[in-house]
Amino acid sequence: MTNPTPTVTLLTRAGCGLCTVALGRLEAICRDFGLPVHTVDVDDAAATDPSLRAEYGDRLPVVLLDGREHSYFDVDEPRLRADLSRFAGRGGK
């Protein structure tokens, strides 16, 4: 049985300098694993999901791994690499 490919998502907002830095770091990490980085602007998403901005809006950027909070304000690179390696070892990319 093949495990699904993990999804890495960055919650962000326009004009967020930390978000820009986090996106660059995530793209470099995910490139090593052949994964895309998905981004969600919490302010744009609030039109259909106001709970997203309510939950995360004051502590951006937030990295989600398969929809679960992985880190915020900064990318926890060692932990993310370890977690993505575990996926790769179980049949993911």
Side-chain angles (χ1 to χ4, degrees):
M1 180 164 80
T2 303
N3 290 324
T5 302
T7 302
V8 178
T9 304
L10 180 65
L11 301 181
T12 185
R13 78 167 23 107
C16 171
L18 288 175
C19 299
T20 302
V21 172
L23 179 58
R25 290 187 65 201
L26 274 180
E27 287 173 334
I29 295 164
C30 289
R31 189 171 24 255
D32 290 344
F33 291 89
L35 299 171
V37 176
H38 305 276
T39 59
V40 175
D41 183 306
V42 296
D43 296 321
D44 290 344
T48 57
D49 186 2
S51 66
L52 193 65
R53 184 171 53 193
E55 175 70 22
Y56 299 109
D58 64 343
R59 56 186 175 107
L60 295 172
V62 175
V63 177
L64 304 178
L65 180 57
D66 281 346
R68 292 183 172 173
E69 186 175 323
H70 192 271
S71 58
Y72 63 96
F73 291 141
D74 194 15
V75 177
D76 187 342
E77 183 170 349
R79 182 171 163 235
L80 182 58
R81 285 187 179 278
D83 290 343
L84 292 175
S85 292
R86 279 193 283 281
F87 273 102
R90 294 192 321 231
K93 281 196 164 201

